[in-house]
Amino acid sequence: MYEGVFSPIPDPGAYLARIGLEPDDYRKALHPELPDSPSAFSARHSKDALDVLVRAHLMSVPFEDLDIYELGREVSLEICDVFDKSVGRRRGGFCFELNGLFCALLEALGFECRAIAVRVLFEGEFPPIGHRSTIVTLADGKRVVCDVGFGGPTPLGALYLDCADVQHSGRLAFRYEKRPDGLYKFTYIQRDGAEMPLHLFVALGVYMSRGDNARFRNERVLNILRENGSAAIQDDTLRLHNDGVLTEIELKTAAERKAAYIKYFGMPEESLTELPG
């Protein structure tokens, strides 16, 4: 019944190209000592390798909930369907789609991965499981968390899980805390020192597509990183962050929203034909 959710990724090379990493260029950057081998996608299982992949994904594939919010459609989490949407049609997706596909890519590259379920802490005192992330065990035995599908304050690479110190990623800072009950609390450290709890990892997205209180049934959400900042849409407001400067633009019509999806989030117009506008 769930085989498709955990099936291998159809084409690792096409996925790498989608996020701007030509397969052999990526391999050679990590293995300069090896001869050319265009058909080999293996990579040294290091944090540096993960950092390259995570950043490339965040800069290329938008977080978006358009199928759910605009079309009221239940989203398939089967790898072949997510691959067709995000790679073939150059769309994006939400966490269960993006992190599921990313996990499949990492497995194709030989990384040791496992999916984890997450509660998003700013959605209530005890929110339902509403997020998926990935834990990777590196060749040296250390565990890191990779997340390409949060759509909020997010690290630009992998972060060490079993480390209580503040970890910096780009301009942002985060911390993992192992609680007495064995769960991990993930906190965003803001510039003024204030702490914003983000996640609580627990022991995957029909709820996200069908639940009356699910965020994506009630709110349009898109986010993608750019070289000097990010672009985001929340409902009808486009927010552009550029070198610390925020510009807000109201998207008054469906046509304006669709134009923004194309211009700022890199979605081809032909992949948006089912949306209004």
Side-chain angles (χ1 to χ4, degrees):
M1 179 178 180
Y2 299 105
E3 293 87 351
V5 177
F6 302 100
S7 63
I9 194 168
D11 187 343
Y15 191 123
L16 290 173
R18 168 71 172 98
I19 62 176
L21 298 173
E22 292 299 328
D24 201 44
D25 290 342
Y26 174 69
R27 176 179 174 275
K28 288 166 67 176
L30 297 169
H31 294 281
E33 74 283 3
L34 297 181
D36 292 346
S37 179
S39 63
F41 302 111
S42 61
R44 186 163 51 238
H45 301 153
S46 66
K47 183 177 180 300
D48 289 343
L50 286 174
D51 289 345
V52 171
L53 290 166
V54 171
R55 188 178 190 280
H57 189 288
L58 290 171
M59 299 291 293
S60 304
V61 183
F63 179 100
E64 49 108 338
D65 66 348
L66 299 178
D67 281 347
I68 299 172
Y69 184 86
E70 299 279 11
L71 303 173
R73 175 180 294 164
E74 182 177 328
V75 172
S76 171
L77 300 182
E78 295 199 8
I79 294 300
C80 63
D81 293 332
V82 182
F83 181 87
D84 175 69
K85 176 181 177 180
S86 296
V87 178
R89 293 187 284 131
R90 300 185 67 83
R91 285 276 306 278
F94 68 100
C95 57
F96 290 91
E97 298 173 275
L98 299 183
N99 280 326
L101 191 64
F102 191 71
C103 185
L105 173 67
L106 295 183
E107 290 175 337
L109 295 173
F111 287 93
E112 181 183 338
C113 313
R114 68 184 179 94
I116 52 173
V118 180
R119 299 187 190 278
V120 180
L121 292 176
F122 54 68
E123 292 185 350
E125 292 185 6
F126 192 72
I129 293 172
H131 185 58
R132 167 187 172 152
S133 192
T134 306
I135 293 178
V136 178
T137 302
L138 302 174
D140 60 7
K142 293 181 179 179
R143 298 189 301 170
V144 296
V145 177
C146 296
D147 198 324
V148 298
F150 183 52
T154 192
L156 296 177
L159 293 182
Y160 290 106
L161 177 61
D162 303 300
C163 174
D165 298 332
V166 173
Q167 300 181 62
H168 294 271
S169 183
R171 299 177 180 178
L172 306 181
F174 304 89
R175 182 175 63 243
Y176 285 103
E177 173 191 353
K178 188 173 183 179
R179 306 192 326 178
D181 57 9
L183 302 183
Y184 286 84
K185 182 179 179 181
F186 182 51
T187 300
Y188 166 47
I189 312 298
Q190 302 180 64
R191 291 187 179 183
D192 60 1
E195 299 190 358
M196 177 190 295
L198 297 179
H199 300 165
L200 185 65
F201 294 171
V202 298
L204 227 170
V206 172
Y207 169 80
M208 302 303 292
S209 299
R210 293 183 178 177
D212 290 339
N213 295 319
R215 182 184 183 191
F216 304 139
R217 285 287 302 274
N218 298 285
E219 183 178 4
R220 182 186 296 107
V221 184
L222 295 88
N223 187 286
I224 191 168
L225 292 181
R226 306 196 298 174
E227 282 297 334
N228 297 313
S230 64
I233 292 177
Q234 185 171 5
D235 283 333
D236 297 329
T237 302
L238 170 66
R239 294 184 174 90
L240 303 174
H241 291 267
N242 188 41
D243 287 330
V245 178
L246 170 63
T247 302
E248 293 191 347
I249 301 171
E250 290 301 313
L251 305 174
K252 299 179 181 179
T253 67
E256 289 179 351
R257 291 193 295 270
K258 184 178 287 188
Y261 304 154
I262 296 168
K263 180 176 180 179
Y264 298 105
F265 299 88
M267 301 183 197
E269 185 173 5
E270 58 269 22
S271 73
L272 303 171
T273 55
E274 294 181 289
L275 299 181

